[in-house]
Amino acid sequence: MKERLPRQLITFSAGLVLLVFAFDFGWIAGSDQHNAFSGSIANGWIIIGCLFCLRKLVMQTLIGLSRKPLFWMFTAVLIKKVFTFADSLFANYVLNNSLAGAYLLFSFTYLTSVAENILYARGFYLARK
């Protein structure tokens, strides 16, 4: 990113996310909880960042987008974070109420990781060319 304002905005918001995470870990949820609140904020920040980068990539490259390694890598991160957002948001509730629900939720997370790794592999394959 060559523009100064987006870079400053991303750096500032990343610092805020880290402060919220530290505050949640240190004083609200503690180390014995899953930190669902701050994890959800961090996931939301990553989703917004990926959407911003994908938008920038699409605006720069309209033809041959499927041959760009960064497209596949940003898509992998975006799919992982979007489909596991509920995992980070409702993990405390599920872990405290249903062991079978926790297994189901975490199994879905693992399946999403498989799709994410396939997209990463595609991106790395194209980057090697």
Side-chain angles (χ1 to χ4, degrees):
M1 275 194 281
K2 294 180 182 173
E3 297 90 15
R4 186 179 173 127
L5 182 63
R7 188 180 317 147
Q8 288 176 340
L9 186 63
I10 289 172
T11 304
F12 177 73
S13 62
L16 281 177
V17 168
L18 288 174
L19 283 174
V20 167
F21 190 80
F23 184 74
D24 187 34
F25 181 79
W27 289 280
I28 298 173
S31 61
D32 59 336
Q33 293 291 323
H34 182 64
N35 297 331
F37 174 71
S38 57
S40 299
I41 289 175
N43 278 346
W45 182 80
I46 292 170
I47 289 169
I48 290 169
C50 280
L51 286 173
F52 175 76
C53 291
L54 270 174
R55 179 185 170 273
K56 192 166 184 74
L57 188 64
V58 167
M59 298 299 269
Q60 290 175 352
T61 310
L62 293 177
I63 300 171
L65 194 60
S66 66
R67 286 177 272 158
K68 297 288 184 184
L70 283 177
F71 171 75
W72 294 105
M73 292 180 187
F74 284 135
T75 303
V77 172
L78 190 61
I79 285 174
K80 171 73 173 193
K81 292 302 176 184
V82 166
F83 285 114
T84 60
F85 188 74
D87 175 26
S88 64
L89 191 59
F90 300 116
N92 285 342
Y93 176 77
V94 172
L95 286 171
N96 290 331
N97 292 317
S98 171
L99 187 60
Y103 286 143
L104 184 65
L105 189 63
F106 294 140
S107 296
F108 182 72
T109 301
Y110 296 138
L111 288 174
T112 308
S113 293
V114 170
E116 176 190 28
N117 289 330
I118 290 170
L119 292 173
Y120 280 142
R122 175 75 177 157
F124 286 129
Y125 173 76
L126 289 173
R128 194 180 63 157
K129 283 186 168 185

